[in-house]
Amino acid sequence: MTRAIGIFGGTFDPVHFGHLRAAVEAREKLGLDDFRLLPAGQPPHRSDTVANGAQRLAMLRLALADCADLRVDDREVRRAGYSYMADTLAEIRSEAGEAPLLLMIGQDAANALDTWHEWRRLFNLAHLVVMRRPDAHFNCQGELRAEIMRRRVREPARLLAAPAGQVLSLEITQLDISSTHIRGLLAGGRSARFLLPDSVLDYIRERGLYLADR
Ligand code: ATP
């Protein structure tokens, strides 16, 4: 089997230590040599981002500057128009052959997976690794719940033995940090220090980002 790829998508508006710690722990626990943070271009299931794609990408690159184990995949930001995760995964699948693809998502995002474009297709393209998040519990319903229950595995090694289709719940250190909270602090003129890397905060300050909450 070719080497497995971990894909951690998000808006990263801005990236923070909750994302970064989750990425470090998920990569280690799953034993992945190829782990990518993939910023969304124009997220279709969210109204809009505050920072644009180039700015969110720049902040991610600054955050990962000293972190050789984690890389940035900039394909969605480079692509014009809407980006659906299913299309992005299909593109990565076409490059990766039969390699296991592992899509990381937080529990909050997993609970709303059935709002994603062609969500059922995601299971044909990748495994789902659901990372526990403060205040978010497994509470999806209906068809999504049935799909997740049916595909659930307990052993990370199972994911590395097949290209796609299984769901693993992963315990990670709980850091109650969100981009929304950081944007709110900055818009209110308060400090966001120690919630995200100083290099990212410097970038935000230099460009006057997030001064008005949206
Ligand atoms: P926002 O507050 O703008 O919604 P966010 O902080 O949730 O942003 P996103 O970029 O939307 O960050 O999240 C990308 C992915 O990272 C999602 O799957 C989300 O669940 C996960 N995530 C975000 N914050 C954390 C955290 N503190 N711990 C673990 N996972 C997180």
Side-chain angles (χ1 to χ4, degrees):
M1 184 91 51
T2 14
R3 72 177 190 167
I5 302 174
I7 301 148
F8 187 165
T11 44
F12 304 117
D13 189 18
V15 63
H16 53 67
F17 286 134
H19 299 130
L20 296 168
R21 185 64 209 165
V24 166
E25 289 189 21
R27 191 197 77 76
E28 280 184 356
K29 288 186 174 177
L30 298 166
L32 301 176
D33 292 329
D34 186 340
F35 195 102
R36 310 170 182 186
L37 283 88
L38 194 153
Q42 182 77 35
H45 56 289
R46 295 173 55 143
S47 47
D48 205 353
T49 57
V50 179
N52 66 34
Q55 291 167 332
R56 290 180 291 110
L57 186 59
M59 290 189 279
L60 207 44
R61 290 214 161 106
L62 284 170
L64 298 180
D66 295 328
C67 193
D69 293 337
L70 305 175
R71 47 182 285 218
V72 179
D73 189 325
D74 64 0
R75 72 184 68 221
E76 285 201 0
V77 170
R78 275 190 286 110
R79 196 190 294 153
Y82 280 157
S83 284
Y84 294 111
M85 184 49 85
D87 296 334
T88 299
L89 286 177
E91 193 177 300
I92 297 174
R93 167 62 65 210
S94 71
E95 298 161 4
E98 291 294 292
L101 298 186
L102 282 66
L103 178 65
M104 316 288 141
I105 55 173
Q107 183 69 66
D108 57 319
N111 289 338
L113 195 74
D114 51 2
T115 63
W116 292 25
H117 180 68
E118 296 188 309
W119 66 271
R120 291 175 196 80
R121 203 173 142 221
L122 299 171
F123 294 109
N124 299 329
L125 292 163
H127 300 298
L128 210 64
V129 178
V130 181
M131 301 175 297
R132 287 229 0 239
R133 232 190 133 173
D135 299 329
H137 304 285
F138 177 66
N139 72 353
C140 50
Q141 305 300 329
E143 212 185 317
L144 175 59
R145 185 183 186 85
E147 279 292 343
I148 289 180
M149 298 306 278
R150 188 165 74 79
R151 295 171 181 279
R152 244 178 182 177
V153 294
R154 290 190 185 281
E155 287 301 314
R158 293 274 302 276
L159 305 188
L160 304 183
Q166 294 163 356
V167 178
L168 179 80
S169 176
L170 200 66
E171 295 275 335
I172 52 160
T173 302
Q174 304 288 293
L175 294 178
D176 195 358
I177 305 174
S178 71
S179 302
T180 303
H181 180 58
I182 291 171
R183 291 195 302 270
L185 289 174
L186 296 172
R190 280 173 293 157
S191 172
R193 195 132 191 246
F194 305 128
L195 296 176
L196 69 174
D198 283 344
S199 56
V200 176
L201 258 184
D202 288 343
Y203 180 96
I204 289 171
R205 233 179 266 126
E206 280 158 21
R207 280 157 188 83
L209 288 174
Y210 308 118
L211 291 180
D213 205 4
R214 294 211 349 219

